[in-house]
């Protein structure tokens, strides 16, 4: 997925998701302050998306409905969403990926049917995702920095390298 970077870190009793604000259309930046990270389920779940914006909003709405159907069961809600995403004729055309987390679990969701937990509490998606992931893993393993600082520094490093990532960062956090 192009034109964004979303990074999630779980460390020290906190889970933090951050994302940049750049929206690109081909080679042009059309917006620099988009909000790609948000709270769901009355603030109990964090989510961030990479991909087509309208597709991501559709998926957030569907995830909210699944969270209402399965309250307090993020994994179950995500599995049910990805089943629908793979099998529904309309949904399977959506082009986006999501990182979601609650106090207990962190997950990556994709239209390919993936519901994955991160290794080492760090996961990233989007065009700058690998840069942010590398930076965050190094910081998490070799420093005493907290989760929010790691997310902010990881995204800043990605913004220096990836032309589809900017420094307008939005961060949301939950205590685990």
């Amino acid at each position: 997925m192009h034109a964004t970077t979303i990074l999630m870190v779980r460390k020290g009793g906190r889970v933090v998701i951050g994302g940049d604000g750049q929206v690109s259309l081909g080679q042009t930046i059309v917006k620099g302050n988009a909000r790609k990270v948000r709270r769901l389920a009355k603030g109990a779940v964090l989510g961030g998306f990479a991909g087509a914006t309208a597709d991501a909003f559709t998926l957030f709405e569907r995830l909210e409905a699944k969270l209402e159907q399965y309250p307090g069961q993020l994994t179950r809600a995500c599995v049910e969403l990805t089943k629908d995403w793979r099998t529904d004729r309309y949904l399977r055309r959506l082009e986006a990926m999501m990182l979601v987390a609650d106090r207990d679990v962190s997950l990556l969701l994709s239209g390919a049917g993936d519901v994955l937990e991160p290794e080492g509490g760090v996961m990233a998606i989007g065009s700058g995702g690998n840069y942010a992931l590398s930076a965050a893993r190094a910081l998490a393993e070799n420093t005493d920095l907290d989760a929010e600082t790691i997310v902010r520094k990881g995204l800043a490093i990605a913004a220096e390298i990836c032309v589809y990532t900017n420094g307008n960062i939005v961060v949301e956090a939950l205590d685990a």
Side-chain angles (χ1 to χ4, degrees):
M1 297 294 164
H2 291 291
T4 199
T5 303
I6 305 295
L7 176 61
M8 175 171 44
V9 174
R10 184 178 291 274
K11 182 179 179 186
R14 292 194 75 172
V15 60
V16 180
I17 298 180
D20 77 311
Q22 184 166 308
V23 177
S24 302
L25 187 58
Q27 303 297 319
T28 304
I29 298 169
V30 291
K31 186 172 181 169
N33 63 346
R35 188 172 178 88
K36 303 170 196 171
V37 175
R38 60 196 56 227
R39 289 180 175 271
L40 307 166
K42 299 176 184 163
V45 174
L46 303 177
F49 71 87
T53 306
D55 294 354
F57 286 136
T58 299
L59 291 167
F60 275 143
E61 287 173 9
R62 296 286 181 124
L63 180 57
E64 284 271 21
K66 295 295 183 187
L67 289 166
E68 287 175 14
Q69 189 175 357
Y70 305 105
Q73 301 178 62
L74 179 60
T75 302
R76 173 97 188 262
C78 290
V79 168
E80 295 300 323
L81 173 65
T82 55
K83 279 198 244 177
D84 291 350
W85 196 352
R86 277 192 54 85
T87 59
D88 183 271
R89 186 177 215 175
Y90 167 72
L91 289 178
R92 73 174 160 228
R93 291 191 174 104
L94 300 183
E95 296 183 17
M97 292 182 81
M98 299 172 67
L99 292 180
V100 296
D102 66 8
R103 295 187 193 311
D104 302 313
V105 67
S106 302
L107 301 167
L108 177 145
L109 311 178
S110 80
D114 298 313
V115 179
L116 304 170
E117 286 190 76
E119 278 189 40
V122 181
M123 188 170 273
I125 56 174
S127 58
N130 286 334
Y131 306 118
L133 178 65
S134 296
R137 280 187 178 169
L139 291 167
E141 292 173 13
N142 298 295
T143 71
D144 291 328
L145 297 174
D146 61 69
E148 183 169 340
T149 303
I150 291 171
V151 166
R152 289 184 183 282
K153 287 183 178 290
L155 289 169
I157 289 168
E160 292 174 359
I161 299 169
C162 178
V163 298
Y164 295 108
T165 303
N166 71 14
N168 291 337
I169 296 168
V170 172
V171 174
E172 293 284 351
L174 284 174
D175 290 326

